[in-house]
Amino acid sequence: MNDRHIPQALELVLAGGGHAHVGVLRRLGRRPVPGLRVTVVCDEWQTPYSGMLPGLIAGHYRHETTHIDLRRLARFAGAAMVHAPVIGLDADRRQLQIADRPPLDYDLLSINTGSTPAWRDVPGAAEHAIPVKPVVVLMQRLRELSRRWGGAETAQHIAVVGAGAGGVELALALAYRLRGLPRPPTVTLYNRSKTILSEHNRAVRRRFETVLAARGIRVIAGQAVAAVDADGLTLADGRRMDAEAVFWATDASAPPWLAESALAQDAQGFVRVRTTLQSVSHPQVFAAGDVARLPEPRPKSGVYAVRAGAILAENLPRAARGRRLKHFRAQTNALALISTGDRCAIASRGRFTVAGPWLWRLKDRIDRRFIARHQGTAKTVEPEPAIEPIDGCLPGSPQGGHRDAGSAGALPSARIDRVFERLAGHAGVDRPRLARADTSRPIAFCAPEHRVSACVERLTDLVGDPFVFGEIAVEHALNPVYAAGATPRIATAQAAIPLAAAALMDTTLFQLLAGTADALARAGAVLADGRAWESVELALSLTVLADCDDNQPHSWPMSTAPMGLVVTGPVGTGVVSAGDLRQRAEAAWVTGAIAAMRQSRQEAGRLLYAHGARAVAAISAGGFIEALDRLRQACRATATLGLDDLPCLAGARVLAATGIRTRLEAANRRLYQPTFDGVPGDHPAWPLLFDPQSAGPLLAAVPGTAVRQCVASLQQAGYREARCVGELSPQPQADTADIRWLRVLGSDGGRRVQA
């Protein structure tokens, strides 16, 4: 991976996770380019390999067999990750626009977002048709249809629009997958052209016409689809065709956001590139795969995208250094192995064709080898020389590499002021997010009409995306505020920014504080001020001032009856983040953990106290066990905990079982593990009691009579994993220093705790 101690000089943004960018990330992981900061922007972290999709649809493969874990590959390459769709590009200002967040600045941009269905001019297609991409949506809809049709008493009809290689493979795969239903649906293939597979030779077309007929798949050619509705489709000649499902596999079209990008494009809106894969109008922009239009056009095929990826992987580092670029020479006729739905395939190249099961086996080996090559983390070879910054020497480092000490390591106030000016533009006028203080004199906040509490929290980056990290850091800092029943008002930020060229540091600081300001605004608070220092890693400290009501929960009389232990969400962020850093966590696990950390617990805190909570603690660095210890001390009680009831993030138990741990987990175990009664140490949730949590859930002691309604209210409010995980038995005369205060129940350790 890239050495974080080497200052970064240039920003490379990879927009999309197509086959070409998969190759780029693998190359960057094997041959790092010190000084080149890489950011991947993608709306799906599991990227499908197109060659295996027919087999996935037919049921020959599982999901994980056909997808590359792009997040794991990005971690291997040392790349930052932005999980969001691209919605625009300002090529002149060098800014990539992303949904629900500020744009990303870049020095070099590579586009490999793929294509979208060509249905914009067909009324109803976007609302009622099922596109081949994204694959996750296609498979979800297909599973729903399979369940619905499993008990159907009448025959169903499927329409597949488009009879190129993708459409023909889709029709045959659908017919094979659904053949086992009591009443298998009929499949009809519709094509604007008079022939199927128009890009292939006559012999290939004849072979597939025979296969389609043998499978009972009807072909209607020479007619375009004029409209789609909930009950079927209408052809250009006015004929009405009923269908319970319409699958769309026509020729690809360019993403609509490219139209306003100022990039040179062809008549269909694809990016015109040179043989170096550079845009003909903006040389700092590269494009490959379906989204690119080569000087000598080639079919939209994954074969060409994979081969272009090898050239792209060489040219991007060369462009960063100003070196001569390589040229992509796309072969005129590529070998295509087209599936027939069953475990058989037909080969097509120029005038050549051959068929047989052995071709499927060959294709299967090739495809599995490709997936395996990009799933692992191969040994890194010697990195290339570091890239020199464009704008001269790095800040605070005349010779290029050493950080300054003391206040000399701080970023100048003028640069921070510019970042806040840009933040004000990002915040807009509809809702205040900033309350910038006068930096010319000492800052003092006071609110004499309220009781004021202060909270200070620090977090280091754990997601690889400064904007999302800022949001998570806010939720981490506000959790103790919500646990105290207070209302956040003002926050100040102290950021540690990795040493880089001045423009890159300012960009990182802006993204970080933009996420911070947005999350604070959602909580009803404002970002009042900020400071920043050079560092080797991204970190953020927040000081939060909050209003405390006179009627504080901790002033309520303690209950003498048993109380339920209510947790507002799953634990496991520590082990999942550790697995992510070690490239051992699946993308879906990391995505779930990030979503949990970004979720505000403000409403959860309100609901807990509305149901009479006697004590609430934020589960943080000390883990679940520390929060439980605080509650039992506050309530002078002993606790019973049911490990089977403890909600855990997806993948957390799996990673813990494989030995993934954080350093703080071991410290928590030594510090907080008492002499338990009935310890099920081999229970899969046992390590997660000590797992440090970033922006973790809240844990509360709720009167037993209100537990059921409290949990139901939390789940209805969006905290779907809220659970009762145990109970506290108050013992007012007990010695709170006694460490024998917890009984743990596992699968076979006694009764389960009931809400």
Side-chain angles (χ1 to χ4, degrees):
M1 299 180 69
N2 291 338
D3 189 343
R4 66 181 181 176
H5 296 282
I6 296 178
Q8 297 160 330
L10 288 176
E11 177 83 72
L12 165 62
V13 174
L14 304 178
H19 297 349
H21 280 174
V22 164
V24 171
L25 289 172
R26 180 173 182 266
R27 189 268 188 199
L28 291 174
R30 290 175 57 82
R31 296 179 60 193
V33 183
L36 182 64
R37 186 166 76 181
V38 183
T39 300
V40 183
V41 182
C42 191
D43 58 349
E44 291 292 340
W45 283 128
Q46 290 185 312
T47 185
Y49 180 47
S50 59
M52 302 181 79
L53 292 186
L56 175 65
I57 296 168
H60 305 314
Y61 299 123
R62 299 189 307 274
H63 178 275
E64 58 271 21
T65 306
T66 61
H67 285 67
I68 296 170
D69 193 321
L70 195 65
R71 184 176 180 89
R72 185 180 298 174
L73 192 59
R75 280 289 191 193
F76 171 57
M81 293 150 286
V82 174
H83 188 189
V86 175
I87 60 172
L89 171 64
D90 188 334
D92 294 328
R93 297 179 62 183
R94 299 192 183 187
Q95 288 186 334
L96 186 70
Q97 295 161 358
I98 304 169
D100 301 322
R101 54 180 293 160
L104 277 179
D105 298 329
Y106 63 84
D107 296 301
L108 293 172
L109 172 68
S110 180
I111 305 173
N112 185 212
T113 54
S115 54
T116 59
W119 60 12
R120 278 179 248 167
D121 298 330
V122 181
E127 294 78 15
H128 301 290
I130 303 172
V132 178
K133 299 177 182 179
V135 176
V136 64
V137 175
L138 169 67
M139 296 307 298
Q140 179 182 350
R141 293 292 303 276
L142 187 54
R143 285 190 292 268
E144 293 172 356
L145 291 171
S146 298
R147 287 193 295 268
R148 186 195 311 168
W149 293 340
E153 297 181 357
T154 59
Q156 308 297 310
H157 303 277
I158 294 177
V160 176
V161 182
V168 169
E169 284 187 309
L170 175 61
L172 289 166
L174 288 171
Y176 185 86
R177 181 188 184 97
L178 302 172
R179 74 195 188 286
L181 295 179
R183 297 184 64 86
T186 60
V187 180
T188 303
L189 193 59
Y190 296 87
N191 196 38
R192 178 193 299 267
S193 173
K194 293 184 179 181
T195 61
I196 65 171
L197 298 164
S198 57
E199 294 181 343
H200 297 269
N201 63 61
R202 184 178 300 176
V204 171
R205 292 198 295 270
R206 283 200 300 265
R207 284 180 182 272
F208 272 100
E209 287 168 356
T210 301
V211 173
L212 290 168
R215 306 287 172 80
I217 298 175
R218 182 185 177 193
V219 178
I220 297 179
Q223 283 292 324
V225 174
V228 180
D229 56 46
D231 299 317
L233 51 85
T234 303
L235 299 180
D237 62 3
R239 278 185 291 171
R240 171 72 193 173
M241 312 299 291
D242 293 335
E244 280 72 25
V246 178
F247 291 86
W248 206 269
T250 61
D251 292 338
S253 64
W257 54 265
L258 278 174
E260 306 297 328
S261 67
L263 294 177
Q265 302 163 36
D266 66 4
Q268 287 74 42
F270 296 105
V271 180
R272 293 176 53 215
V273 296
R274 301 185 177 96
T275 55
T276 57
L277 303 179
Q278 288 175 291
S279 164
V280 299
S281 60
H282 294 74
Q284 72 276 7
V285 177
F286 291 72
D290 287 358
V291 77
R293 196 262 193 192
L294 294 165
E296 297 180 0
R298 294 291 184 267
K300 302 297 183 185
S301 168
V303 173
Y304 293 104
V306 170
R307 293 176 179 173
I311 300 298
L312 191 63
E314 292 294 327
N315 280 351
L316 289 172
R318 287 169 176 259
R321 293 191 175 86
R323 294 180 179 174
R324 185 176 180 179
L325 305 183
K326 293 187 174 183
H327 295 269
F328 176 49
R329 307 296 184 188
Q331 60 193 111
T332 304
N333 295 311
L335 175 65
L337 299 175
I338 309 172
S339 170
T340 58
D342 53 359
R343 288 181 171 84
C344 187
I346 297 175
S348 172
R349 182 174 184 179
R351 298 181 179 181
F352 167 80
T353 182
V354 67
W358 66 274
L359 278 172
W360 166 267
R361 293 192 293 270
L362 173 63
K363 181 178 184 299
D364 179 66
R365 286 197 297 271
I366 294 172
D367 293 342
R368 288 180 183 273
R369 190 180 304 121
F370 180 86
I371 292 288
R373 188 165 62 245
H374 294 89
Q375 293 286 43
T377 53
K379 184 179 179 180
T380 302
V381 301
E382 285 297 320
E384 299 185 359
I387 294 176
E388 296 296 329
I390 294 176
D391 52 356
C393 292
L394 293 165
S397 179
Q399 304 304 320
H402 302 287
R403 293 188 297 117
D404 289 321
S407 61
L411 270 64
S413 295
R415 285 174 57 189
I416 299 176
D417 290 341
R418 288 198 298 269
V419 170
F420 266 83
E421 290 173 4
R422 188 177 175 188
L423 277 174
H426 164 64
V429 296
D430 57 335
R431 54 175 177 161
R433 304 182 187 183
L434 305 172
R436 181 67 166 151
D438 182 359
T439 57
S440 63
R441 58 177 182 268
I443 303 169
F445 300 110
C446 62
E449 69 277 15
H450 295 289
R451 295 176 58 186
V452 177
S453 67
C455 174
V456 180
E457 291 285 347
R458 183 181 187 273
L459 207 62
T460 55
D461 183 26
L462 70 168
V463 293
D465 179 348
F467 182 87
V468 172
F469 171 56
E471 293 181 313
I472 292 173
V474 168
E475 301 306 334
H476 183 75
L478 295 186
N479 271 354
V481 175
Y482 301 144
T487 303
R489 297 300 184 192
I490 296 172
T492 61
Q494 300 81 39
I497 307 298
L499 182 63
L504 295 190
M505 295 184 73
D506 291 350
T507 295
T508 301
L509 181 61
F510 168 71
Q511 293 288 334
L512 177 67
L513 294 186
T516 302
D518 281 8
L520 285 169
R522 291 192 291 270
V526 295
L527 178 61
D529 195 20
R531 293 291 184 268
W533 284 265
E534 300 169 1
S535 179
V536 295
E537 62 182 353
L538 184 65
L540 181 64
S541 296
L542 289 170
T543 302
V544 181
L545 298 183
D547 292 345
C548 300
D549 296 334
D550 292 332
N551 183 24
Q552 284 299 295
H554 57 69
S555 66
W556 300 348
M558 279 291 110
S559 172
T560 57
M563 293 174 288
L565 286 168
V566 175
V567 64
T568 63
V571 297
T573 61
V575 69
V576 173
S577 298
D580 182 32
L581 289 171
R582 293 165 174 78
Q583 303 158 43
R584 299 277 296 277
E586 295 181 7
W589 301 347
V590 180
T591 301
I594 291 174
M597 290 186 287
R598 294 176 75 180
Q599 184 181 32
S600 171
R601 273 76 181 186
Q602 188 170 34
E603 179 64 9
R606 188 192 69 78
L607 288 172
L608 290 172
Y609 284 118
H611 287 85
R614 292 300 188 265
V616 181
I619 303 177
S620 188
F624 182 95
I625 197 70
E626 179 194 53
L628 182 56
D629 190 19
R630 290 181 179 179
L631 290 191
R632 69 98 186 176
Q633 290 193 56
C635 298
R636 300 186 67 84
T638 58
T640 300
L641 177 65
L643 284 179
D644 287 342
D645 301 295
L646 184 67
C648 303
L649 289 168
R653 295 186 181 194
V654 175
L655 290 168
T658 58
I660 297 295
R661 297 285 193 277
T662 65
R663 285 178 294 179
L664 195 53
E665 187 265 352
N668 290 340
R669 190 186 293 266
R670 291 192 300 270
L671 183 61
Y672 292 108
Q673 180 172 325
T675 306
F676 294 119
D677 289 331
V679 177
D682 57 348
H683 193 285
W686 174 253
L688 301 181
L689 292 179
F690 312 96
D691 188 49
Q693 303 299 289
S694 301
L698 304 180
L699 182 65
V702 177
T705 56
V707 167
R708 189 179 298 274
Q709 183 58 44
C710 179
V711 171
S713 298
L714 286 166
Q715 292 177 348
Q716 188 175 5
Y719 305 96
R720 302 188 182 279
E721 296 295 318
R723 298 284 188 275
C724 177
V725 296
E727 63 182 27
L728 291 177
S729 300
Q731 297 181 357
Q733 305 305 318
D735 182 3
T736 57
D738 183 1
I739 63 173
R740 298 178 62 86
W741 53 266
L742 176 62
R743 182 161 185 239
V744 181
L745 303 179
S747 299
D748 55 358
R751 65 180 177 83
R752 287 172 59 90
V753 177
Q754 300 296 321

